[in-house]
Amino acid sequence: DGGITQSPKYLFRKEGQNVTLSCEQNLNHDAMYWYRQDPGQGLRLIYYSQIVNDFQKGDIAEGYSVSREKKESFPLTVTSAQKNPTAFYLCASTRTRNSPLHFGNGTRLTVT
Amino acid sequence: QKEVEQDPGPLSVPEGAIVSLNCTYSNSAFQYFMWYRQYSRKGPELLMYTYSSGNKEDGRFTAQVDKSSKYISLFIRDSQPSDSATYLCAMIGYTGGFKTIFGAGTRLFVKA
């Protein structure tokens, strides 16, 4: 079955530590995205990538970094510079930019 | 003013009721309209994807788009407890590049 796999499902870190969230897709989609979801705020775009070795900042990129070395993989690093990192992080992909997004099942990050 | 407005609810209905979920938007550049269902601690899953004004039906679900009023709706007939989830509207438009904008989501509870 094709889909998007995010791991781990839950992640706990101490303040000041960087942490990397994994996202892998086998849908053969070119474009991949990272969203952050907070209660009552909907989905906010962090970064997106339309092709390998290229990515662009979304609306809330500060404190985050990404890489896109392979078509299937788009890891997100939450750095210590992110002021409020506790959130639910969703990875998504699309075949084209006017196609609907397909989502993974998310990673819940808690930083204390 | 947000580009997409969606009442967060919660909306509580008895089993078997017809549910109406709505979103309004302000940007006439939006061309594609979607509804996603999101269960707790899961990623959003695509329910409906429409392009033109009018109705689109899929089983118990009907999506309605009125571009002249900038208003979209999702109707759920014969609602079931398993329909209890958060429903997100989303829209794709070209504003210097294709972009997907999400509503904040409406929490729905269907009581047995």
Side-chain angles (χ1 to χ4, degrees):
Chain A
D1 284 336
I4 298 176
T5 301
Q6 289 187 245
S7 61
K9 190 174 175 66
Y10 299 98
L11 193 51
F12 299 88
R13 281 294 182 268
K14 295 288 188 186
E15 198 173 310
Q17 293 179 333
N18 291 355
V19 61
T20 297
L21 282 58
S22 171
C23 177
E24 303 278 331
Q25 57 103 354
N26 60 4
L27 297 166
N28 199 32
H29 286 171
D30 287 316
M32 296 186 73
Y33 307 77
W34 275 104
Y35 286 87
R36 171 181 171 139
Q37 188 174 34
D38 296 282
Q41 292 202 44
L43 299 174
R44 292 184 289 168
L45 182 63
I46 304 172
Y47 267 99
Y48 65 98
S49 168
Q50 294 181 272
I51 56 172
V52 173
N53 292 322
D54 186 52
F55 47 83
Q56 288 79 40
K57 292 181 180 180
D59 301 317
I60 55 163
E62 186 175 346
Y64 299 99
S65 66
V66 293
S67 63
R68 187 88 187 274
E69 296 177 4
K70 299 186 300 182
K71 185 175 182 177
E72 302 78 18
S73 179
F74 191 41
L76 173 74
T77 296
V78 184
T79 75
S80 56
Q82 168 50 234
K83 289 182 171 51
N84 188 17
T86 294
F88 189 50
Y89 291 87
L90 287 160
C91 180
S93 70
T94 56
R95 187 168 45 83
T96 63
R97 285 218 73 192
N98 61 348
S99 300
L101 293 160
H102 293 264
F103 286 91
N105 273 325
T107 293
R108 173 70 185 178
L109 172 64
T110 302
V111 176
T112 58
Chain B
Q1 183 188 6
K2 291 181 181 178
E3 285 189 275
V4 178
E5 297 278 0
Q6 183 176 12
D7 186 336
L11 180 62
S12 184
V13 301
E15 183 176 357
I18 296 174
V19 175
S20 172
L21 303 167
N22 311 294
C23 287
T24 59
Y25 61 96
S26 56
N27 191 341
S28 57
F30 289 134
Q31 302 170 330
Y32 305 90
F33 304 89
M34 294 149 293
W35 285 95
Y36 287 86
R37 177 176 62 196
Q38 185 176 22
Y39 292 115
S40 182
R41 302 187 189 88
K42 297 286 190 183
E45 58 177 316
L46 182 67
L47 280 178
M48 304 289 279
Y49 173 58
T50 60
Y51 171 70
S52 56
S53 284
N55 293 353
K56 180 177 180 179
E57 191 172 316
D58 184 359
R60 295 185 295 111
F61 299 92
T62 300
Q64 190 174 79
V65 174
D66 182 347
K67 288 187 177 180
S68 62
S69 301
K70 297 189 179 67
Y71 189 88
I72 69 170
S73 299
L74 178 71
F75 298 97
I76 307 174
R77 290 183 298 282
D78 188 24
S79 56
Q80 303 294 310
S82 58
D83 294 326
S84 298
T86 296
Y87 290 80
L88 302 162
C89 65
M91 307 174 188
I92 302 174
Y94 188 85
T95 52
F98 282 107
K99 191 172 182 181
T100 302
I101 304 294
F102 288 85
T106 300
R107 288 202 69 187
L108 172 67
F109 295 97
V110 181
K111 299 172 292 184

